[in-house]
Amino acid sequence: MIIPDTPRVTRIVREVWKPLTVLFVWDVLVTVVYFVLPFKAPALPLTIFGSALALFLGFRATSAYQRWWEGRILWGAMINASRSFSRAITAFMDDRRDGVVPLKRTLVQRQIAYVHALRCALRRQQQCPELAQYLDASAMAEVEERTNRPNAVLDGTGRRIAAAQRIGYLDTIQQSRIEAVLIDIANAQGGMERLKNTPLPMQYRFFPALFTRIFCVLLPIGLVETLGMATPVGSTIAGLMFLAILQIGDDLVDPFANDVHDVPMSAMCRTIEIDLLQSIGDAAPAPLGEVKGVLW
Amino acid sequence: MIIPDTPRVTRIVREVWKPLTVLFVWDVLVTVVYFVLPFKAPALPLTIFGSALALFLGFRATSAYQRWWEGRILWGAMINASRSFSRAITAFMDDRRDGVVPLKRTLVQRQIAYVHALRCALRRQQQCPELAQYLDASAMAEVEERTNRPNAVLDGTGRRIAAAQRIGYLDTIQQSRIEAVLIDIANAQGGMERLKNTPLPMQYRFFPALFTRIFCVLLPIGLVETLGMATPVGSTIAGLMFLAILQIGDDLVDPFANDVHDVPMSAMCRTIEIDLLQSIGDAAPAPLGEVKGVLW
Amino acid sequence: MIIPDTPRVTRIVREVWKPLTVLFVWDVLVTVVYFVLPFKAPALPLTIFGSALALFLGFRATSAYQRWWEGRILWGAMINASRSFSRAITAFMDDRRDGVVPLKRTLVQRQIAYVHALRCALRRQQQCPELAQYLDASAMAEVEERTNRPNAVLDGTGRRIAAAQRIGYLDTIQQSRIEAVLIDIANAQGGMERLKNTPLPMQYRFFPALFTRIFCVLLPIGLVETLGMATPVGSTIAGLMFLAILQIGDDLVDPFANDVHDVPMSAMCRTIEIDLLQSIGDAAPAPLGEVKGVLW
Amino acid sequence: MIIPDTPRVTRIVREVWKPLTVLFVWDVLVTVVYFVLPFKAPALPLTIFGSALALFLGFRATSAYQRWWEGRILWGAMINASRSFSRAITAFMDDRRDGVVPLKRTLVQRQIAYVHALRCALRRQQQCPELAQYLDASAMAEVEERTNRPNAVLDGTGRRIAAAQRIGYLDTIQQSRIEAVLIDIANAQGGMERLKNTPLPMQYRFFPALFTRIFCVLLPIGLVETLGMATPVGSTIAGLMFLAILQIGDDLVDPFANDVHDVPMSAMCRTIEIDLLQSIGDAAPAPLGEVKGVLW
Amino acid sequence: MIIPDTPRVTRIVREVWKPLTVLFVWDVLVTVVYFVLPFKAPALPLTIFGSALALFLGFRATSAYQRWWEGRILWGAMINASRSFSRAITAFMDDRRDGVVPLKRTLVQRQIAYVHALRCALRRQQQCPELAQYLDASAMAEVEERTNRPNAVLDGTGRRIAAAQRIGYLDTIQQSRIEAVLIDIANAQGGMERLKNTPLPMQYRFFPALFTRIFCVLLPIGLVETLGMATPVGSTIAGLMFLAILQIGDDLVDPFANDVHDVPMSAMCRTIEIDLLQSIGDAAPAPLGEVKGVLW
C-alpha cells in the first residue's frame, strides 16, 4: 500500500511515462499528418464511444476498489478474531492449574503462525520462516503434509482446545465460544482465498483494456478537425484520464498480488504478532514501517 | 471460469465473429446505399437513445456481475462451513472411545457427498458418481427417495450427530455448535438454489437485448450523414462496444449455467474434498486444473 | 414470475400496444402539423430533460429491482430456516420416546401451515385453505383470534417446543438452538411485511411517471425540426425506451402484489411443503410448474 | 408516510406552487427582457453545469432514500425483536408456577412501553402518555431519572429477567437467549439514534441546494437564444425536474423528523402493541389508519 | 461534525475564498487575453473531459461518504455494545453477594476508560486524561506497557470477568454471553482502526485532485470562444461545482482526522459515559454540545 498522499514524482514518472509518450507521439503524428497531407478527418461519434467506455470503466474501477477494500476488511476481521481468540484463551483457562500457562503460550503462538502461513499462502511464497519460529517440529510435520497449510494449523488448534476441554481446563460452553471465534477466522481465510483464486471475470479484464486503447487511437482523429494544432494537448489529456481510470482498476483488482498496491499484509501480521505476544506478557517486535513510501 | 487474462484468440474469434460480421455488413450496406442512391439520412437522436440504453445496460451488467459474484461467495461460504464442520467433528469427539473414528470418517465423507450432490443438482445432472463413492447403500437409499437430494444428505447428517449425542460422544452444547454450522451450510445451499431458480426478471433479459439491436440497426443511418465513408468503422466499433456489454451480462447472469463462464464448482468441490479427507488423515486427490483455459 | 427468456408475443403486444399506439399517434400528429401548417419548432433542451429524467428512472429501476430481489431473498431465507427447523426438530428429539413421533409431525405441519398463512397474508387473501389442512381445530381457533395470523402460528410453535422441553424431550440448550431458528423465521416474516406495507416513497412513484410522460409529449416537438419525416420513428423508439424503464419499475416494485411479476410465493411454499413432509417420511405433492409462462 | 399512489392535488399544489411560481416568473422575465431590450444571451455551458449538478443530486437522492429505508428497516427489526421477545418470554416460563403469569404481563408491557418511549425520544416529544399507561409508578421513577429513557426501560427489563432466573423461572441458557434478543433491540435503537443524531454531512445539505438554485437562475439565460418564446415552458419544466429531485432528498433524508414524510412510527408502535398484547391474551386496540392520506 | 443546516457565512468564506479567487482571476485573465490579443481558442473536448472527471469525482465522493458513514456506524455499534455490556453485567451478577457491587462499578468504569482510550488512539493523542480517571494505578500500569492500549483494557476486562466466573458470580453460560459482547466491541474497534490506518488508495487521492485542477485551467480556454465576456461567470461557476465535489471528498474521507468534519467522537464517548454511569446509579456529566456550530 502506498502511503504518502502525493506520490513520489519518480514513481509517477516511472509508471506513467510509457503510455504518456506513446499517447503523445500518436497524437502529434495524427496532427502532423493532418496538416502535412491534409485529409478530411471524420467527425467520429466520440460521445457515443465515450459513454460506452464510461460504462466499462466505471464498473471496473468500482469493482476493483470493492475487491481491494474487501481484502482489507477480511484482514481486519482476522486481526479482530485473533485478538478475541487470545482474549478468550487467556481469560477462560485458570493460570493456577498445572500446564495451563505453557498451553496458553502454545495456542497463542499457533495463531501467530497461522496468520503468517496464510499470508505466505496468499502471496504464493513456498518459504514461510515465521512458521518454524512459532511451531515446534511435530506441529510443523502435521502442517507440512497438508495441501492447505493455514487450515492445517487451525485444525490442530481446534484439536488442542478439545484436549484442554477433556482435561478440564475448559468446559464445553467455553470450548463452543472459542470454536465460534475459529469459525470467524475460517470465514476470513475463505474470503481471502476467494479473492485470490477468483479474479474479476475475463470480460471485465479484457474489454475495458481493449476499448480504452481503441478509444485513445481514435481520439486525435476525431478531434483534429475541430482542435487543429491543439489536438496533441487536448487528446493526450483526455486519453490520459481514461488510461488512469483503467490503470487504477489494474492496480487494485488483486489485493494480494505481491506488488506495491497490495493490502499491507506483512504489517497486519506484525500487528497481530504484537497484540498476541503482549497479551501473554511476551516481548514483541516493533511495528513494520513503510519502505520508500510503501507499506507491505 | 476462464483463467487467462488475455483470452485465446480462437475463443474471441469464435464468440465475436458472428455479431461482428452482421454488424459490419449492415454498416457497409447503409453506407453504400447512402452513396449510391443518395438519401437524406435523418439526424437521429442517438445521444438520447444512447443514454436510455446506457441505463439498461449499466444496470444489467452490474446485476449480472453481482449474481455471479454472489454465486462465488456462496460457494466460498460452503468451503468455509465444510472446513468448520470437519474441524468441529474431529475435535469434539474423543478418538479413544469405541466407534468414534469410523463415525468421524462417515460424517466427513457425508459432507463431501453433500457438496457433490449440490453441484450436480445445480447443474441439473441426474448422475452424480461421487454420491455413491462417499455414501453407503442404505444412505444412498435414504437420499434417492427425496426430491431435494443434498438436503436429504444434510438431514441424515443431523440425525447421525444427534445419535452421537445420545450415545454420549458429544453433549448438547457441542451438538448445538455443530448444528449452527449445518445452518450455515443450509443457508449457502438455499442461496445457490435461489440464484439458480430465479433468473433476472424477464424485462431485464428481453428489453436490453432488443434495444441494443435496434440501436445497432439505427446507428449507421444516424451517423452516415456526418461520418460519410468512415461510417462502417465508427458505427461497427460503437455497436461492438454496446454488444460486448450486453454479452457480458448474458455470460455472467447465471453462475451455475453449466458453461465456460460458470463459477468453478467442480474445482471448489475438489478443494473441499482435499481439505476434508486430509483433515481425517486420508489420502486426497490432486486439485483440479484448468482445461483449455477454463476451470470448471 | 415470468419464466421464458423471450416473453410470448401475445403478452408483449398486450402490455405494450396501448402506450405504443398513443405515442405513435402523437408523434405522427406533431409531424403532420409541422408539415401542414408549418410552425417553428423550438430546439427544446432535450439533453437536459433527458439527464434529469435518467436520474429519476435510474434510481427507480434500481430500487424497484432491489425490492423485488429482497423479497426473493427473504423467501429464500424462509425456505432455509424451514429446513433447518425441521432438521433440528427431527434430529434433537428421540423417536423411541412416547409421543415424540406425533409431536414431530405436528411441529413440522405447523411450519407448513405457517408459510401458507404468511403467503395468504402477504397476498391479502382472507381464505387460506392450507391452514385448516395442516392445523387441527383448536390450533385454528388460537390463530383465528389474532390480528397477525402467521405470528400466532409461530407463537404456538414456540409454546409447544417449550412444553416438549418441560416433558424432557429436549433440554434448554436444544430449545435455545431451535428458538434461534424461530428468530430467523420471524425476521424473514418481518422483512416481507416491511416490503408489503412500505411502498416506495410517493415521490418516486409519482414524479418519474409524470416526467416520463411530459418528456414523451415534448419529444416529437423538440425533434421534428431536425428529424423531419423521420420524427415518428425516432421519437417513438426513444419514448418507448424510457416508458419501458418506467414500466419495469412498476412491475417489480411490489414483489408481493398478486400479479404475474410477483416473486413465486406459491411455488416456494410448495417447495417448503415437499422438503418438510419428506423429512418426516410423509408423501409430498409435486412441485408447482409454470402456467402460461408464469410461475406463481 | 404518504399512502396514495397519486398524491392529492391539494398537497401537490401546496408544495409545488411556490417554487413553480418563482421559477416561471423568472423565466418569463428573462424572456421578456430578451425580446424587449435585446441582449446577446451567452451560450452558457449548461451541459457541463448539468452533469456536475447530476453528480450532487444523484448522490443526495440516493443517500436520502437509503437513510429513509434504513430507518424503516430498523423499525422492522424492532417489530421482529419485540415479537421474538414476547414469544421467548411466554414460551420459556411455565404458567403453572406462582408469579409467572403477572411477570409475563409486566415484561411484555415493559416492551410496549419501551417502543413508545423510543418513538417519543426520536420525535423529541417530552410527553409520552403510553409510558405511564404501561409502567407502574416505581418503574416510571426508575426511568424518569435517566437521560436516555428507552435505554432505562431496557436495563430494567434485563434486571427483571435476571431476577426471574434467580427465582428459577428460567435457567441461564434461556436467560442468555433472551439477552441475545435484548441485544438486537439495543442495536435497533442505536441505529435509529444514529440516523436521528447524525444528519447528512453539511456539504451535502448546502451545496446541492445552492447549485440547483444557481442552475435554475442561469437556465433561461442559457436557453433563450435557442428557445426564444418557448423559453418559459422549456426552462420551467427542466428547472422543476431538478427542484423535484432536490425536494425528494429534503423530504426523505430525516426519517424521524416528525413530518408527513416520516417513517410511520406511530403505526408501527401500534402494530407491536397489538401483537404483544394478543400474545398474552389481552385485548388489543385497532391498527392505526391513514389520516388525510398520511400514515403517522 | 458541523451541525447547522446552513453553514456560517464566515466558515464558507474562509474555506472557499482561496480557490474561488484563484479560479476567478484565471478565468478573467483568459478572457482579457482573448479580447486584448485575440487568439483562436480551440474547441476543447470539454464534454469528454467532463465525463471522465465525473467518473473520478462520483466514485470519490461516494466512497468518501461511505467511509465517513461507516466510521459513524462503527461508533454507533460501540455505543450499543457498551450499553449491552453494562446491561448484562448489572443484570447477571447478584448484588446481594459480597464484592459484586464494587466489581460492577469497576467493570463499567473500565468500559468507559476503554472508549476514551480508543478515541485518543484514533486521534493520535498520547495524553488521555479520562483513562487515569476511570482506571486505578495497577490497571493503568497494565495498559501502559501495551502497544495497543484500548485492546489492553479489553483484555483486562475479559480476565476480570473470568475471575468473577471462578468465584461463582457468573456461570460459564453468562460469561460466554458477555464474551460475545466483547467480541462485538473488538470488531467495532478493529473496523475503526481499519478506517484510520488504511486511507483511500493513493490513486483516488491524487488523480481526482490533479484532473480537477487541469479541468479548471482548461475550462475558460475551451469556453471563451462561445461565451465571450460571460466566460468568467460561466467558467467560475462550473469550476466551483467540480471543486466543491472534490472538497467534499477531502473533508469526509477520513472520519477520525481530528478536524471539524470528524465523526463526533467526543460527544459519543460522553453519551456512553452518561448511559453507563447512570446504569449503575452514579452521577453523570452533561452531554457535550456544539462549539461554534461544530460537535466534536
Side-chain angles (χ1 to χ4, degrees):
Chain A
M1 192 176 65
I2 299 171
I3 295 293
D5 266 36
T6 313
R8 296 154 166 260
V9 173
T10 55
R11 183 185 307 286
I12 293 213
V13 167
R14 201 167 57 232
E15 283 193 349
V16 152
W17 79 264
K18 235 167 66 180
L20 190 64
T21 309
V22 171
L23 207 64
F24 190 74
V25 166
W26 171 248
D27 292 345
V28 168
L29 203 78
V30 168
T31 314
V32 167
V33 168
Y34 178 77
F35 282 101
V36 171
L37 62 242
F39 64 98
K40 171 91 181 64
L44 287 169
L46 291 176
T47 315
I48 293 175
F49 288 174
S51 65
L53 193 57
L55 273 179
F56 272 110
L57 291 178
F59 174 84
R60 184 183 149 93
T62 303
S63 60
Y65 172 70
Q66 282 170 344
R67 285 173 60 93
W68 188 85
W69 190 232
E70 192 190 356
R72 180 61 186 82
I73 286 174
L74 289 166
W75 268 102
M78 187 59 83
I79 295 175
N80 303 346
S82 297
R83 288 172 180 168
S84 294
F85 174 81
S86 119
R87 190 179 55 252
I89 291 290
T90 52
F92 287 175
M93 291 191 275
D94 191 347
D95 281 359
R96 292 166 300 184
R97 295 194 56 174
D98 279 349
V100 160
V101 171
L103 178 60
K104 282 184 182 177
R105 172 155 294 119
T106 305
L107 288 171
V108 162
Q109 287 181 340
R110 284 187 74 85
Q111 179 60 18
I112 299 174
Y114 169 79
V115 293
H116 282 298
L118 182 55
R119 172 180 57 78
C120 295
L122 291 174
R123 289 206 170 131
R124 303 274 185 259
Q125 295 169 328
Q126 201 53 37
Q127 299 302 320
C128 189
E130 290 88 351
L131 210 54
Q133 183 184 344
Y134 287 107
L135 294 182
D136 61 27
S138 73
M140 276 300 288
E142 236 174 73
V143 168
E144 289 293 349
E145 67 190 13
R146 294 277 296 270
T147 306
N148 190 318
R149 298 199 295 181
N151 194 33
V153 179
L154 207 61
D155 277 2
T157 300
R159 278 200 309 277
R160 279 161 183 81
I161 287 165
Q165 178 264 319
R166 269 171 224 128
I167 299 174
Y169 294 160
L170 297 164
D171 67 10
T172 52
I173 293 159
Q174 292 167 323
Q175 178 189 22
S176 175
R177 164 58 47 216
I178 296 172
E179 179 62 28
V181 177
L182 294 186
I183 287 176
D184 286 347
I185 291 172
N187 288 347
Q189 174 186 342
M192 293 171 198
E193 291 175 356
R194 166 167 50 82
L195 285 174
K196 182 73 187 180
N197 295 334
T198 311
L200 207 63
M202 175 276 288
Q203 296 94 328
Y204 280 117
R205 286 173 276 151
F206 178 71
F207 284 121
L210 177 71
F211 288 134
T212 307
R213 294 204 171 95
I214 292 180
F215 185 72
C216 286
V217 166
L218 295 179
L219 206 50
I221 303 176
L223 290 176
V224 75
E225 193 81 29
T226 51
L227 276 189
M229 295 305 284
T231 301
V233 173
S235 182
T236 303
I237 290 174
L240 200 63
M241 287 170 88
F242 284 100
L243 281 175
I245 304 177
L246 184 72
Q247 185 59 38
I248 290 177
D250 271 346
D251 289 347
L252 297 180
V253 76
D254 288 313
F256 311 131
N258 216 358
D259 65 24
V260 294
H261 304 290
D262 258 26
V263 156
M265 287 193 279
S266 298
M268 286 189 286
C269 283
R270 180 59 63 89
T271 297
I272 293 174
E273 208 169 340
I274 295 169
D275 285 346
L276 265 58
L277 288 175
Q278 290 185 343
S279 79
I280 53 167
D282 282 7
L288 283 186
E290 51 178 287
V291 180
K292 294 191 190 166
V294 176
L295 189 68
W296 290 91
Chain B
M1 193 177 63
I2 299 170
I3 295 294
D5 267 35
T6 312
R8 297 154 165 260
V9 173
T10 55
R11 184 186 307 285
I12 293 213
V13 167
R14 201 166 58 231
E15 284 193 348
V16 151
W17 80 264
K18 236 168 67 181
L20 190 64
T21 309
V22 171
L23 207 64
F24 190 75
V25 166
W26 170 249
D27 292 345
V28 167
L29 202 77
V30 169
T31 314
V32 166
V33 168
Y34 178 78
F35 283 100
V36 171
L37 61 242
F39 65 97
K40 170 92 182 60
L44 286 169
L46 291 176
T47 316
I48 293 175
F49 289 174
S51 65
L53 193 58
L55 274 179
F56 272 110
L57 290 178
F59 174 84
R60 185 184 149 92
T62 304
S63 61
Y65 172 70
Q66 282 171 344
R67 285 172 62 93
W68 189 84
W69 190 231
E70 192 190 355
R72 180 60 185 81
I73 286 175
L74 288 166
W75 268 102
M78 187 59 82
I79 295 175
N80 303 346
S82 297
R83 288 173 180 167
S84 294
F85 174 81
S86 119
R87 191 179 54 253
I89 290 292
T90 52
F92 287 175
M93 291 191 277
D94 190 348
D95 281 359
R96 292 165 301 183
R97 297 193 57 173
D98 279 350
V100 160
V101 171
L103 178 60
K104 282 184 181 177
R105 172 155 294 119
T106 305
L107 288 171
V108 162
Q109 287 182 339
R110 284 188 74 84
Q111 179 61 19
I112 300 175
Y114 169 79
V115 293
H116 283 298
L118 182 56
R119 172 179 58 77
C120 295
L122 291 174
R123 289 205 169 132
R124 304 274 185 258
Q125 296 169 326
Q126 202 52 39
Q127 298 303 321
C128 189
E130 290 89 351
L131 209 54
Q133 183 184 345
Y134 287 106
L135 293 182
D136 60 27
S138 74
M140 276 300 287
E142 236 175 71
V143 168
E144 290 293 349
E145 66 189 15
R146 294 278 295 270
T147 305
N148 190 317
R149 297 199 295 181
N151 193 33
V153 180
L154 208 61
D155 277 1
T157 300
R159 278 199 309 277
R160 278 161 184 81
I161 287 165
Q165 179 263 318
R166 269 171 223 129
I167 299 173
Y169 294 160
L170 296 164
D171 65 13
T172 52
I173 293 160
Q174 293 168 322
Q175 177 190 23
S176 175
R177 164 59 47 216
I178 297 172
E179 178 63 28
V181 177
L182 295 187
I183 288 175
D184 286 347
I185 291 172
N187 287 347
Q189 174 185 343
M192 294 171 197
E193 291 174 356
R194 167 166 50 81
L195 286 174
K196 182 72 188 182
N197 295 334
T198 311
L200 207 63
M202 173 277 288
Q203 295 93 328
Y204 280 116
R205 285 173 276 153
F206 178 69
F207 284 121
L210 178 70
F211 288 134
T212 306
R213 295 208 170 92
I214 292 180
F215 185 72
C216 287
V217 166
L218 295 179
L219 207 49
I221 303 176
L223 290 176
V224 75
E225 193 82 28
T226 51
L227 276 188
M229 294 305 285
T231 301
V233 173
S235 182
T236 303
I237 290 174
L240 200 62
M241 288 170 88
F242 284 100
L243 282 175
I245 303 178
L246 185 72
Q247 185 59 39
I248 290 177
D250 272 347
D251 289 347
L252 298 180
V253 77
D254 288 314
F256 311 130
N258 216 358
D259 65 24
V260 294
H261 304 289
D262 258 25
V263 156
M265 287 193 279
S266 298
M268 288 189 284
C269 283
R270 180 60 63 87
T271 297
I272 293 173
E273 208 168 339
I274 295 169
D275 285 345
L276 265 59
L277 288 175
Q278 289 185 343
S279 79
I280 53 167
D282 281 9
L288 284 186
E290 52 178 285
V291 180
K292 294 192 188 163
V294 177
L295 190 67
W296 289 92
Chain C
M1 194 176 64
I2 299 170
I3 295 294
D5 267 35
T6 311
R8 294 153 167 260
V9 173
T10 57
R11 184 185 306 286
I12 293 214
V13 167
R14 203 168 56 231
E15 284 193 350
V16 151
W17 80 265
K18 236 168 63 181
L20 190 63
T21 310
V22 171
L23 207 63
F24 190 75
V25 166
W26 171 249
D27 292 345
V28 168
L29 202 77
V30 169
T31 314
V32 166
V33 168
Y34 178 77
F35 283 100
V36 170
L37 63 243
F39 65 98
K40 169 94 182 62
L44 287 168
L46 292 175
T47 316
I48 293 175
F49 289 174
S51 65
L53 193 58
L55 274 179
F56 272 110
L57 292 178
F59 174 84
R60 185 184 150 93
T62 304
S63 60
Y65 173 69
Q66 282 170 344
R67 285 172 61 92
W68 189 84
W69 191 232
E70 191 189 356
R72 180 60 185 81
I73 285 175
L74 289 166
W75 269 100
M78 187 59 82
I79 295 176
N80 303 346
S82 297
R83 287 173 181 166
S84 293
F85 174 80
S86 119
R87 190 178 56 251
I89 290 292
T90 52
F92 287 176
M93 292 191 275
D94 190 348
D95 281 359
R96 293 165 301 183
R97 296 193 56 174
D98 279 349
V100 160
V101 170
L103 177 60
K104 283 184 180 176
R105 172 156 294 120
T106 304
L107 288 171
V108 162
Q109 287 181 340
R110 283 188 74 85
Q111 179 60 19
I112 299 174
Y114 169 79
V115 294
H116 283 298
L118 182 56
R119 171 178 59 77
C120 294
L122 291 174
R123 288 202 170 136
R124 304 273 185 259
Q125 296 169 328
Q126 202 52 40
Q127 299 302 320
C128 189
E130 290 89 350
L131 209 54
Q133 183 184 344
Y134 287 106
L135 294 182
D136 61 28
S138 72
M140 275 301 285
E142 237 175 68
V143 168
E144 289 294 349
E145 67 189 15
R146 293 278 294 271
T147 306
N148 191 317
R149 299 200 295 183
N151 194 33
V153 179
L154 207 62
D155 277 0
T157 300
R159 278 199 308 277
R160 278 161 183 80
I161 287 165
Q165 178 264 318
R166 271 172 221 128
I167 299 174
Y169 295 160
L170 297 164
D171 65 12
T172 52
I173 292 160
Q174 293 168 323
Q175 178 190 21
S176 174
R177 165 58 48 218
I178 296 172
E179 178 63 28
V181 177
L182 294 187
I183 288 175
D184 287 346
I185 291 172
N187 288 347
Q189 175 186 343
M192 294 170 197
E193 290 175 356
R194 167 166 50 82
L195 285 174
K196 182 72 188 183
N197 295 334
T198 310
L200 207 62
M202 174 276 289
Q203 295 92 328
Y204 281 118
R205 285 173 277 152
F206 178 69
F207 285 121
L210 178 70
F211 288 134
T212 307
R213 295 207 169 92
I214 293 179
F215 185 73
C216 287
V217 167
L218 295 179
L219 206 50
I221 304 176
L223 290 176
V224 75
E225 194 82 30
T226 50
L227 276 189
M229 294 306 285
T231 301
V233 173
S235 183
T236 303
I237 290 174
L240 200 63
M241 286 169 89
F242 284 100
L243 282 174
I245 303 177
L246 184 73
Q247 185 59 38
I248 291 177
D250 272 347
D251 289 348
L252 298 181
V253 77
D254 289 313
F256 311 130
N258 217 359
D259 65 23
V260 294
H261 304 289
D262 258 24
V263 157
M265 287 194 279
S266 298
M268 287 189 284
C269 282
R270 180 60 64 86
T271 298
I272 293 174
E273 208 168 341
I274 295 169
D275 285 344
L276 265 59
L277 288 175
Q278 289 185 341
S279 79
I280 53 167
D282 282 8
L288 284 186
E290 52 178 284
V291 179
K292 294 192 189 162
V294 177
L295 189 67
W296 289 91
Chain D
M1 193 176 65
I2 300 171
I3 295 294
D5 267 35
T6 312
R8 294 154 165 257
V9 174
T10 56
R11 183 185 307 286
I12 293 215
V13 167
R14 203 167 56 233
E15 285 192 351
V16 152
W17 80 264
K18 236 168 65 182
L20 190 63
T21 309
V22 172
L23 206 64
F24 190 74
V25 167
W26 170 249
D27 292 346
V28 167
L29 202 77
V30 169
T31 314
V32 167
V33 168
Y34 178 77
F35 282 101
V36 171
L37 62 243
F39 64 99
K40 169 95 182 63
L44 287 168
L46 291 175
T47 316
I48 293 175
F49 288 174
S51 64
L53 193 57
L55 273 180
F56 272 110
L57 291 177
F59 174 84
R60 183 184 150 92
T62 304
S63 59
Y65 172 70
Q66 282 171 344
R67 285 172 61 93
W68 189 85
W69 190 232
E70 192 190 355
R72 180 62 186 80
I73 286 175
L74 289 166
W75 269 102
M78 187 60 82
I79 295 176
N80 304 346
S82 297
R83 287 173 180 166
S84 294
F85 174 81
S86 119
R87 189 177 57 251
I89 290 291
T90 52
F92 287 176
M93 292 190 276
D94 191 346
D95 281 359
R96 293 165 301 183
R97 295 193 57 174
D98 279 349
V100 160
V101 170
L103 178 60
K104 282 185 182 178
R105 172 156 293 119
T106 304
L107 288 171
V108 162
Q109 286 181 341
R110 284 187 74 85
Q111 179 60 19
I112 299 174
Y114 169 79
V115 294
H116 282 298
L118 182 56
R119 171 178 59 76
C120 294
L122 290 174
R123 289 203 170 135
R124 303 274 186 258
Q125 295 170 328
Q126 202 51 38
Q127 299 302 319
C128 189
E130 290 88 350
L131 209 55
Q133 184 184 345
Y134 287 107
L135 293 182
D136 60 28
S138 72
M140 275 301 287
E142 237 175 69
V143 168
E144 289 294 348
E145 67 190 15
R146 293 279 295 271
T147 305
N148 191 317
R149 298 200 295 183
N151 194 33
V153 180
L154 208 61
D155 277 1
T157 300
R159 278 199 308 278
R160 279 162 183 79
I161 288 165
Q165 178 264 318
R166 271 172 222 129
I167 299 173
Y169 294 160
L170 297 165
D171 66 12
T172 51
I173 293 160
Q174 292 167 323
Q175 177 190 21
S176 175
R177 165 56 49 218
I178 296 172
E179 178 63 28
V181 177
L182 294 187
I183 287 176
D184 286 347
I185 291 172
N187 288 345
Q189 175 186 341
M192 293 171 198
E193 291 175 355
R194 167 166 50 82
L195 285 174
K196 181 73 188 180
N197 296 334
T198 310
L200 206 63
M202 175 276 289
Q203 296 92 328
Y204 281 118
R205 285 173 277 151
F206 179 71
F207 284 121
L210 179 70
F211 288 134
T212 307
R213 295 207 170 94
I214 293 180
F215 185 73
C216 286
V217 167
L218 296 179
L219 205 49
I221 303 175
L223 290 176
V224 75
E225 193 81 30
T226 51
L227 276 189
M229 294 306 285
T231 301
V233 173
S235 182
T236 302
I237 290 174
L240 200 63
M241 287 170 89
F242 283 100
L243 281 175
I245 303 178
L246 184 72
Q247 185 58 40
I248 290 178
D250 272 346
D251 289 348
L252 298 180
V253 77
D254 288 313
F256 311 131
N258 216 359
D259 66 22
V260 295
H261 304 289
D262 259 24
V263 157
M265 287 193 279
S266 298
M268 287 188 285
C269 283
R270 181 59 64 88
T271 298
I272 293 174
E273 208 168 340
I274 296 169
D275 285 345
L276 265 59
L277 288 175
Q278 289 185 342
S279 80
I280 53 168
D282 282 8
L288 284 185
E290 53 178 285
V291 180
K292 294 192 189 163
V294 176
L295 190 67
W296 290 91
Chain E
M1 192 176 64
I2 299 171
I3 296 294
D5 266 36
T6 313
R8 295 156 166 257
V9 173
T10 56
R11 183 187 306 286
I12 292 213
V13 167
R14 203 167 54 232
E15 284 193 350
V16 151
W17 79 264
K18 236 168 65 180
L20 190 63
T21 310
V22 171
L23 206 64
F24 190 73
V25 167
W26 170 249
D27 292 345
V28 169
L29 202 78
V30 168
T31 314
V32 168
V33 168
Y34 179 77
F35 282 100
V36 172
L37 62 242
F39 64 97
K40 169 92 181 66
L44 288 169
L46 292 175
T47 316
I48 292 175
F49 288 174
S51 65
L53 193 58
L55 273 179
F56 272 110
L57 291 178
F59 173 84
R60 184 184 149 91
T62 304
S63 59
Y65 172 70
Q66 282 171 344
R67 285 172 60 92
W68 188 86
W69 191 231
E70 191 190 357
R72 180 62 186 81
I73 286 175
L74 289 166
W75 268 102
M78 187 59 80
I79 295 176
N80 303 345
S82 297
R83 288 173 180 167
S84 294
F85 175 80
S86 120
R87 191 178 56 251
I89 291 291
T90 52
F92 287 176
M93 291 191 276
D94 191 346
D95 281 358
R96 293 165 302 183
R97 295 193 58 173
D98 280 348
V100 160
V101 171
L103 178 60
K104 282 184 183 177
R105 172 155 293 119
T106 305
L107 288 171
V108 162
Q109 287 181 340
R110 284 187 74 85
Q111 179 60 19
I112 299 175
Y114 169 79
V115 294
H116 282 297
L118 182 55
R119 172 179 56 78
C120 294
L122 290 174
R123 289 204 170 134
R124 303 276 185 257
Q125 296 170 328
Q126 202 52 37
Q127 299 303 320
C128 190
E130 290 88 351
L131 209 55
Q133 183 184 346
Y134 286 107
L135 294 182
D136 61 28
S138 72
M140 275 300 288
E142 236 175 72
V143 168
E144 289 293 349
E145 67 190 14
R146 294 278 296 269
T147 305
N148 190 318
R149 298 198 298 181
N151 194 33
V153 180
L154 208 61
D155 278 1
T157 299
R159 280 199 308 278
R160 278 162 184 80
I161 287 165
Q165 178 264 319
R166 271 171 222 128
I167 298 173
Y169 294 160
L170 297 164
D171 66 12
T172 52
I173 292 160
Q174 292 167 323
Q175 178 190 22
S176 174
R177 164 57 50 217
I178 296 172
E179 178 63 29
V181 177
L182 295 187
I183 287 176
D184 286 348
I185 290 172
N187 288 346
Q189 175 186 342
M192 293 170 198
E193 291 175 355
R194 167 166 51 80
L195 286 174
K196 181 73 188 181
N197 296 334
T198 311
L200 207 63
M202 175 275 290
Q203 296 92 328
Y204 280 117
R205 285 172 278 151
F206 178 71
F207 284 122
L210 179 69
F211 288 135
T212 307
R213 295 206 170 95
I214 292 179
F215 185 72
C216 286
V217 167
L218 295 178
L219 205 49
I221 303 176
L223 290 176
V224 74
E225 194 81 30
T226 52
L227 276 189
M229 295 304 285
T231 301
V233 173
S235 182
T236 303
I237 290 174
L240 200 64
M241 287 171 88
F242 283 100
L243 282 175
I245 303 178
L246 185 71
Q247 184 59 37
I248 291 177
D250 272 346
D251 290 347
L252 298 181
V253 76
D254 288 314
F256 311 131
N258 216 358
D259 66 23
V260 296
H261 305 290
D262 258 26
V263 156
M265 287 193 279
S266 299
M268 288 189 286
C269 282
R270 180 59 63 88
T271 298
I272 294 174
E273 208 168 340
I274 295 169
D275 285 345
L276 265 58
L277 289 175
Q278 289 186 342
S279 80
I280 53 167
D282 282 7
L288 283 186
E290 52 178 286
V291 180
K292 294 192 188 164
V294 176
L295 189 68
W296 290 92

